[in-house]
Amino acid sequence: MPVWVWLATIGGIAALFVFDFVTHVRKAHEPSFKEATFWSVFYVAIACIFGGGVFWFWDHVHGVEFFAGFITEKSLSVDNLFVFVIIMKSFRVPGEDQQKALLIGIVLALIMRGIFIGIGAAAIERFAWVFYIFGLFLLWTAWKLAKESLVGHKSTDEEYEPNAVVKWVQGHLPITSDYHGNALTVRLDGKLFYTPMIIVIIALGMTDILFALDSIPAIYGLTDAPYIVFTANAFALLGLLQLYFLLGGLLDRLVYLGLGLALVLGFIGVKLIFHALEENDLSFINGGQAVEGLPHISTPLSLGVIVAILAITTVASLLKSRSMGGVSEESSK
């Protein structure tokens, strides 16, 4: 991919984030359902137009890879929203000030993901056995997600446990006890203090970095083109701010989301293992020779499987939530 295309793409994505800040964050407010719906659809439409451009100006193979990656990353980002809601509740962030914290956290996450993507691309280009690591990690993550889902689905009523970075910041920075709008710093009696908003942003950013450990290997299981990996991640994060307000009250109804994501990650993990075996150069596996006769999982097939899994689990979740609601109403009577 030519350097000018990379620069133009990064510039365009940066412009969209600036546009998001100017239109939504500069004036603090809590978006209505109608506003959140409109902008969520808008950013998905932008991603689809971009994917169409990949089809038209590059080729259909990379076009399919972009849409498969975008759908996977968007679905994984919905899982992030559970933690985002928990963080907002735990730190009691006023509804009208949440957009700024979310957008800055998302931008930090995109920057860190860009670094991860570069490291992943360099490792894959140099060491074919990295696919084994990615595949096994995804299989382990899928098993962990499935186990958690079978015990009980995620809930936004869970408690947030600060990680080491958040605890260090809380213990070493002068932080006010109250919010001052969506300001990050404030001067009191001539001294500079940070507001709790800075803790919220760090918590959001660190959380998304942890989620990137799953999403980056997952999308490398669908494409080996760093350009597709980066743009699919960027467009999945664009609009996440609006999706937060759109799905905030509906997240608890997605009771099978964790199980669906486990199936998706497990499927991609198996695909990565197959690919690693086809490119095998490890001496202790098949004498260092490529393993032949393995089933080939094409990207169009992967896209179909991912869409089917997510569609089935979403419909099943809504039906389950409806039946649970009906049972609750009957028991209350």
Side-chain angles (χ1 to χ4, degrees):
M1 184 61 64
V3 174
W4 71 266
V5 175
W6 271 102
L7 294 176
T9 303
I10 293 172
I13 291 170
L16 285 171
F17 274 107
V18 171
F19 172 77
D20 211 4
F21 182 87
V22 171
T23 55
H24 299 101
V25 179
R26 189 172 60 175
K27 183 179 179 181
H29 71 287
E30 185 172 358
S32 64
F33 180 81
K34 182 178 179 181
E35 180 184 349
T37 301
F38 173 81
W39 288 108
S40 295
V41 173
F42 171 80
Y43 283 114
V44 171
I46 292 292
C48 290
I49 292 172
F50 179 85
V54 174
F55 261 103
W56 184 263
F57 294 105
W58 200 346
D59 56 48
H60 72 281
V61 173
H62 290 96
V64 173
E65 289 177 352
F66 171 80
F67 281 108
F70 171 73
I71 292 171
T72 300
E73 295 298 325
K74 200 70 172 179
S75 302
L76 290 171
S77 69
V78 172
D79 198 39
N80 296 21
L81 295 183
F82 278 96
V83 184
F84 287 3
V85 172
I86 292 170
I87 290 173
M88 293 298 182
K89 285 183 177 180
S90 298
F91 288 100
R92 297 181 175 85
V93 183
E96 64 273 13
D97 297 324
Q98 291 181 7
Q99 290 197 85
K100 183 175 182 178
L102 285 166
L103 187 60
I104 295 177
I106 290 169
V107 170
L108 291 175
L110 180 58
I111 293 172
M112 292 305 299
R113 286 192 185 201
I115 296 173
F116 287 169
I117 290 167
I119 294 172
I124 288 171
E125 185 176 352
R126 189 170 181 181
F127 307 108
W129 50 261
V130 170
F131 284 110
Y132 283 115
I133 297 177
F134 283 0
L136 291 173
F137 180 75
L138 288 182
L139 290 175
W140 177 80
T141 304
W143 175 82
K144 184 181 175 183
L145 263 178
K147 185 179 178 181
E148 292 174 353
S149 300
L150 293 174
V151 173
H153 75 279
K154 287 187 177 181
S155 171
T156 55
D157 292 327
E158 296 177 9
E159 292 294 325
Y160 170 69
E161 181 62 32
N163 57 41
V165 175
V166 174
K167 289 180 179 178
W168 186 91
V169 173
Q170 287 176 317
H172 289 77
L173 291 184
I175 301 173
T176 62
S177 57
D178 299 319
Y179 289 93
H180 293 262
N182 59 16
L184 302 181
T185 60
V186 63
R187 285 195 174 275
L188 299 175
D189 298 327
K191 295 182 179 180
L192 180 67
F193 287 85
Y194 293 94
T195 71
M197 189 66 71
I198 193 73
I199 302 296
V200 175
I201 291 172
I202 293 173
L204 292 171
M206 292 302 300
T207 297
D208 207 279
I209 289 173
L210 293 176
F211 276 104
L213 296 178
D214 299 335
S215 63
I216 300 303
I219 192 169
Y220 268 119
L222 300 169
T223 178
D224 59 359
Y227 183 79
I228 299 298
V229 175
F230 174 75
T231 53
N233 268 275
F235 282 104
L237 290 176
L238 270 169
L240 189 59
L241 168 65
Q242 289 74 25
L243 200 61
Y244 169 85
F245 290 98
L246 178 63
L247 297 181
L250 301 176
L251 286 174
D252 287 329
R253 297 180 62 186
L254 299 176
V255 294
Y256 295 129
L257 176 64
L259 185 58
L261 292 177
L263 291 172
V264 170
L265 293 179
F267 170 77
I268 298 175
V270 170
K271 181 181 178 182
L272 277 170
I273 295 295
F274 283 171
H275 180 74
L277 290 170
E278 290 173 349
E279 303 289 332
N280 178 60
D281 58 1
L282 297 179
S283 59
F284 57 87
I285 297 178
N286 198 38
Q289 301 298 314
V291 178
E292 300 179 357
L294 295 172
H296 177 68
I297 304 176
S298 65
T299 304
L301 176 61
S302 300
L303 176 59
V305 170
I306 292 168
V307 170
I309 291 173
L310 294 175
I312 292 171
T313 52
T314 300
V315 172
S317 294
L318 297 178
L319 292 175
K320 178 68 173 180
S321 298
R322 181 178 297 180
S323 64
M324 290 170 63
V327 171
S328 299
E329 291 178 3
E330 287 297 326
S331 60
S332 63
K333 291 179 182 179

